[in-house]
Amino acid sequence: MEFTMNELIDELKRRGFEAREIDTVKNGVRKHGIVVKIGDGSVCPIFYADDMKHFPMQEVVNKIVSALPSIEEKSKTPFLEMISDWDYVKDHIILCLQHGSTEGVFKWNLFGDLELFLRIKLCEDPDSLVSVKVRNEYLAFWGIDPDTLYSVALENTVKETEILTMAEKLGADFPGMDDMVIITNKSGINGAACIVDDHVTEYLEKKFGSEYVLLPNSIHEWLAVAYDPDGDYDGMVRDSNMSDAVDPDLVLSDHAYHIKDREVVKREGIA
């Protein structure tokens, strides 16, 4: 990045905006950025440093300033009313997946080092997807026990599961890619949680048998392949994580998951 965060903040202040540096956690990853105050301060969007590093400072400032009116308009939706209304929540709560964290959110362990958590979709249109993580204190709104909450979210999640081969995704020009399976959801956002769908397990067992490998491509999707004892699956995951296609906050794991008889095969050094 050719400019400092202080220089960026100074330029925003020169244009009349209040801004400050902030560290936060996004999808279990600590992120550094700036928070900008809109209006009375009830809306304070965060812009992350990683998203700015490839652009000149004036272009970054222009992008931030141009985005603020739309963010402010969408914030007028009564989100708190939506979150506290179980009739709304029960149709919009979903499971998501990230690597282990210390966040104060409802979560369930998966594969030893991953965690399922809950999100409520608040605004969904072709241009944006707004959602909020379900924190522990939200349970008081609904009077619902965690097991019921999980069951409702699971039902909503699996309705959106999408399973297709790489050949099906890329088209007829790639017929040799039929041996790699993509597991995600219809929107392609937070689709990795669909791995808990029983239909996914049944599909993979029908295609590969009782032994296969899951490659965490991001928090949005998995890839699945047949197991080969000579395969460098961890290397494939690391290469994917280091590519420009996967932002650091979208990384799900740094290793592959060898599945045999519906269980993760434990390996030394991996929980």
Side-chain angles (χ1 to χ4, degrees):
M1 196 157 61
E2 298 179 355
F3 55 89
T4 68
M5 297 299 278
N6 283 335
E7 289 173 333
L8 181 62
I9 289 170
D10 287 343
E11 177 61 19
L12 284 166
K13 288 180 177 178
R14 190 185 69 78
R15 297 197 189 188
F17 296 96
E18 290 186 39
R20 60 181 173 84
E21 290 187 73
I22 190 172
D23 288 306
T24 186
V25 175
K26 184 180 180 184
N27 299 321
V29 176
R30 185 163 296 280
K31 301 273 286 181
H32 185 64
I34 62 169
V35 59
V36 182
K37 179 180 175 181
I38 300 178
D40 62 2
S42 59
V43 180
C44 297
I46 299 173
F47 299 88
Y48 295 103
D50 285 344
D51 300 329
M52 310 174 192
K53 60 187 178 183
H54 300 300
F55 302 97
M57 186 179 76
Q58 289 301 323
E59 184 174 345
V60 170
V61 173
N62 290 338
K63 286 177 179 291
I64 291 174
V65 171
S66 64
L68 295 178
S70 174
I71 294 172
E72 184 175 21
E73 183 63 29
K74 287 174 180 172
S75 73
K76 295 176 181 177
T77 306
F79 286 166
L80 183 58
E81 293 180 19
M82 297 161 72
I83 291 171
S84 60
D85 180 3
W86 175 247
D87 285 337
Y88 177 86
V89 169
K90 67 181 176 61
D91 294 326
H92 295 85
I93 194 167
I94 58 170
L95 291 171
C96 297
L97 190 62
Q98 65 182 21
H99 57 73
S101 76
T102 58
E103 292 181 87
V105 297
F106 278 107
K107 50 194 175 185
W108 295 263
N109 182 269
L110 182 71
F111 299 158
D113 60 348
L114 304 179
E115 61 188 28
L116 291 157
F117 65 96
L118 302 166
R119 277 192 180 275
I120 304 169
K121 294 189 287 186
L122 300 176
C123 174
E124 196 168 4
D125 60 51
D127 298 317
S128 66
L129 176 64
V130 179
S131 65
V132 62
K133 282 185 177 181
V134 175
R135 304 191 67 82
N136 295 341
E137 56 267 26
Y138 291 3
L139 203 63
F141 287 146
W142 312 312
I144 304 295
D145 65 89
D147 288 342
T148 300
L149 206 56
Y150 180 90
S151 296
V152 172
L154 176 63
E155 183 177 352
N156 291 335
T157 300
V158 301
K159 287 177 183 177
E160 299 297 312
T161 298
E162 183 172 85
I163 310 168
L164 67 164
T165 66
M166 190 66 75
E168 290 171 332
K169 181 175 182 177
L170 298 178
D173 293 336
F174 298 88
M177 300 296 287
D178 192 55
D179 56 352
M180 180 175 285
V181 176
I182 304 167
I183 300 105
T184 184
N185 58 17
K186 293 174 184 175
S187 70
I189 298 174
N190 289 314
C194 291
I195 198 67
V196 299
D197 186 342
D198 288 341
H199 291 100
V200 170
T201 301
E202 292 167 4
Y203 177 98
L204 295 178
E205 289 180 340
K206 183 176 181 180
K207 187 171 185 66
F208 300 126
S210 63
E211 191 170 17
Y212 50 89
V213 177
L214 295 175
L215 307 171
N217 206 29
S218 71
I219 63 171
H220 300 313
E221 70 177 24
W222 293 86
L223 301 178
V225 295
Y227 175 68
D228 178 347
D230 296 322
D232 181 18
Y233 300 113
D234 290 347
M236 293 171 65
V237 174
R238 288 192 296 270
D239 288 346
S240 175
N241 289 346
M242 289 188 293
S243 72
D244 292 337
V246 182
D247 291 336
D249 57 295
L250 301 182
V251 169
L252 182 57
S253 178
D254 62 359
H255 63 90
Y257 297 81
H258 175 193
I259 307 297
K260 184 176 182 180
D261 298 326
R262 303 197 176 192
E263 298 287 340
V264 176
V265 177
K266 300 274 186 190
R267 291 179 293 161
E268 185 177 351
I270 297 178

